Amino acid sequence: MNSNIGNIILTDCDGVLLNWEHSFAQFMKTYSDLKRLPDADKHYNIATQYGISKTEGKYWAERFNTSAAIGSLPPLRDAVKYVRKLHEEHGYVFHCITSMTDDKYAVKLRVENLERVFGKGIFERIVCLPVGADKTDALFEYKDSDYYWIEDKVANAMVGLDLGLEPIIVEHVNTANQEAHKPILDNIPTAVKWKDIYNHITGEES
């Protein structure tokens, strides 16, 4: 890795940088007869949101993540403004670790999507793992680095914490309902917007 040691921020992509859930919901309306359940927003898992099996939920996630649609995801909330500020004003570069798919064509679309939305040079490294893959191995090389690790899935944030990273959890409506992890939200910083993340990292009020 060719980077300024200490100036790396590790980040997830979907639900952190890009608005995957909205685009996925639109995709499902177009390509499936499945309907989101009335309380879908309370649940993180696709299968629970649509009342289907985990196998079917993974099928639809893989189908979406390997479609052309994955290359056109919009930014999440105020991500663009504050990711750019962290890079341009504070010298941070970003390493993105995402469990979207390792399909080479989809990976190319993801890289192009991030560069188009945020700009080139901000993401020094983009690691794409299979759909839903565990991130332990990908994070292990950063062990005890104290790098910030921005995630929306509590279990992945905990992996980072156990490896000596500094996780920040991006909150969604369903974050507090991620089973068996509610107490963790009291021990790891959370953020609704990237403005919150920016302020936490820099100590500034933007």
Side-chain angles (χ1 to χ4, degrees):
M1 289 178 285
N2 298 314
S3 58
N4 297 321
I5 300 301
N7 277 3
I8 295 173
I9 294 175
L10 309 176
T11 178
D12 181 29
C13 184
D14 299 308
V16 173
L17 297 168
L18 300 175
N19 194 338
W20 185 92
E21 189 163 347
H22 173 76
S23 297
F24 177 75
Q26 296 304 310
F27 179 87
M28 292 294 282
K29 287 180 180 178
T30 302
Y31 294 102
S32 85
D33 295 325
L34 297 170
K35 305 294 182 184
R36 293 180 90 239
L37 300 180
D39 64 345
D41 288 341
K42 296 180 180 180
H43 300 285
Y44 186 88
N45 188 276
I46 292 171
T48 308
Q49 291 180 6
Y50 285 88
I52 56 180
S53 68
K54 289 184 178 180
T55 299
E56 191 172 3
K58 185 177 181 181
Y59 162 80
W60 282 108
E62 288 178 338
R63 182 169 169 183
F64 173 68
N65 286 353
T66 54
S67 73
I70 202 65
S72 302
L73 271 58
L76 183 76
R77 302 168 190 161
D78 58 349
V80 172
K81 177 179 179 179
Y82 289 99
V83 166
R84 286 179 178 172
K85 279 174 69 69
L86 285 164
H87 176 67
E88 295 168 3
E89 298 177 15
H90 298 274
Y92 283 101
V93 293
F94 289 77
H95 290 193
C96 180
I97 301 171
T98 171
S99 300
M100 49 93 70
T101 181
D102 55 358
D103 174 87
K104 65 179 182 179
Y105 299 108
V107 169
K108 184 174 185 292
L109 289 174
R110 167 125 298 177
V111 172
E112 291 173 349
N113 192 175
L114 286 169
E115 290 185 344
R116 183 172 61 254
V117 171
F118 293 93
K120 293 186 177 182
I122 292 176
F123 293 95
E124 183 184 66
R125 191 179 187 198
I126 299 173
V127 178
C128 294
L129 307 172
V131 176
D134 182 85
K135 296 183 179 179
T136 303
D137 289 343
L139 290 171
F140 189 81
E141 66 178 275
Y142 302 99
K143 187 176 186 294
D144 296 327
S145 64
D146 290 325
Y147 290 158
Y148 287 104
W149 166 226
I150 319 300
E151 250 285 1
D152 69 326
K153 186 174 181 180
V154 178
N156 286 336
M158 274 300 298
V159 170
L161 185 66
D162 291 343
L163 288 173
L165 305 178
E166 295 290 332
I168 300 174
I169 296 172
V170 176
E171 289 189 280
H172 304 294
V173 173
N174 57 34
T175 302
N177 293 289
Q178 293 181 43
E179 293 81 358
H181 297 296
K182 293 178 185 179
I184 303 305
L185 296 173
D186 295 328
N187 299 310
I188 296 178
T190 60
V192 174
K193 296 182 178 181
W194 268 87
K195 178 180 179 180
D196 305 323
I197 297 171
Y198 177 89
N199 292 345
H200 182 88
I201 290 175
T202 65
E204 299 177 3
E205 286 294 330
S206 58

